[in-house]
Amino acid sequence: MRLYADPHGGEWLPRWHDLVRVIARVHSARGERQLLDWLGQNDEPVVVTFVNAQVMNSAAGSRRFFEAVMCADVVLREGMGLALLLRLLNQRPGLNLRASELVPKIMREHAGGTLALFGSQDPGLTRARRLVARRIAPGTACLLAHGYHDVAVYARLAAVHRPRVIVLGMPAHRQHEVAAVLRAALTYPCIIVCAGGLIEALGEREPPPAAWLEALGLGGLVRALRDPRRLLGKSMVDAAFLHRTLRLAIEGLAHERPDMSRAG
């Protein structure tokens, strides 16, 4: 009996192969430091995105979304699901670079300047700005815009205020569209980060999961348990992701298996 019937057949396989290929692996604290330095030294807009199980499934279902993710300048692994996938493909997964941890580090690197939070909505958006200004990157001016404007609005705001870091907190499909427009429109060096639900998380009243839970990859589960609707969505994502992960690994083994039909 099949536990999961993939509605997309096998058309997603080449996309997953390509996504795995472009993921930048960071294997140590020194490597993370080098990544932060590199991001700060560019002389043009750079787009950073994070790939997790949900992103992989979205890429399986949408070629347009897959192409948007592939256009990012830096693609990073996020979550234990991707670590499992890479290990099954006999690849080192590197560090788990969660947006919730890396993006505040990027903000801190550029404290004292201007950064933009584009996404979510009030009151969470204003609370997120307060957290950034007081605790994450003190002395930083935060440009705010909710996540429901026309794409041209974000480009216009960024062109006028020239934030050094632009954090996009929107649904995955939309934030990659906005990121592409910003990179094409802006003429000064900046870091454009596709951070998903980060802005919303920064503006939440509930405290984040304990660090040891995050280290075990259970932070998402804790958040899901706080909201049963998230738990249902997460279980559906994980079922599809696990099915595709196993299929990709099996396909890889099949391609690596020597042809014994002509043996002696």
Side-chain angles (χ1 to χ4, degrees):
M1 181 179 68
R2 297 181 65 183
L3 297 179
Y4 177 81
D6 196 328
H8 304 292
E11 66 182 31
W12 53 272
L13 281 164
R15 300 176 202 165
W16 274 38
H17 277 294
D18 287 346
L19 280 171
V20 167
R21 178 176 52 80
V22 301
I23 294 174
R25 320 293 161 78
V26 176
H27 298 284
S28 64
R30 181 182 178 184
E32 184 181 277
R33 179 68 259 169
Q34 290 174 338
L35 171 63
L36 292 171
D37 290 343
W38 181 84
L39 289 173
Q41 293 168 1
N42 278 281
D43 56 3
E44 60 184 4
V46 173
V47 175
V48 179
T49 193
F50 297 83
V51 172
N52 54 29
Q54 185 172 8
V55 169
M56 294 294 285
N57 279 335
S58 295
S62 169
R63 172 168 290 280
R64 180 178 177 182
F65 176 71
F66 157 75
E67 291 172 348
V69 175
M70 290 290 290
C71 285
D73 299 289
V74 181
V75 180
L76 300 171
R77 176 184 78 81
E78 180 181 57
M80 302 305 289
L82 265 292
L84 171 64
L85 170 61
L86 292 169
R87 287 194 178 100
L88 287 175
L89 295 174
N90 294 317
Q91 298 184 30
R92 295 174 62 196
L95 298 179
N96 183 17
L97 296 178
R98 292 182 289 268
S100 60
E101 295 180 357
L102 187 66
V103 178
K105 291 179 182 179
I106 294 173
M107 293 178 180
R108 204 168 291 122
E109 289 287 309
H110 301 278
T114 300
L115 67 83
L117 301 177
F118 292 162
S120 188
Q121 58 185 332
D122 274 329
L125 185 56
T126 299
R127 289 200 297 264
R129 173 172 62 182
R130 191 177 303 125
L131 180 65
V132 170
R134 291 180 180 177
R135 293 175 51 190
I136 297 177
T140 298
C142 290
L143 174 66
L144 300 186
H146 65 67
Y148 305 98
H149 289 296
D150 184 80
V151 176
V153 172
Y154 305 115
R156 186 162 55 249
L157 285 170
V160 171
H161 297 277
R162 299 173 68 88
R164 189 68 179 84
V165 179
I166 302 173
V167 180
L168 302 179
M170 306 167 185
H173 288 74
R174 177 162 168 76
Q175 72 180 358
H176 284 90
E177 175 190 1
V178 173
V181 170
L182 289 174
R183 184 173 57 183
L186 300 179
T187 58
Y188 71 95
C190 60
I191 305 168
I192 305 163
V193 189
C194 297
L198 177 65
I199 296 175
E200 184 177 349
L202 292 176
E204 286 179 352
R205 295 184 184 276
E206 295 178 331
W212 67 271
L213 286 169
E214 291 282 15
L216 292 173
L218 299 176
L221 179 59
V222 172
R223 295 183 184 91
L225 289 172
R226 291 172 177 170
D227 184 347
R229 291 173 299 178
R230 287 186 184 180
L231 183 59
L232 177 60
K234 181 176 175 58
S235 65
M236 294 175 66
V237 166
D238 286 351
F241 179 79
L242 181 58
H243 166 84
R244 291 176 176 136
T245 292
L246 294 175
R247 182 170 175 186
L248 190 69
I250 292 170
E251 291 273 344
L253 288 173
H255 289 144
E256 293 175 5
R257 186 181 300 125
D259 183 3
M260 303 300 292
S261 62
R262 300 182 182 178

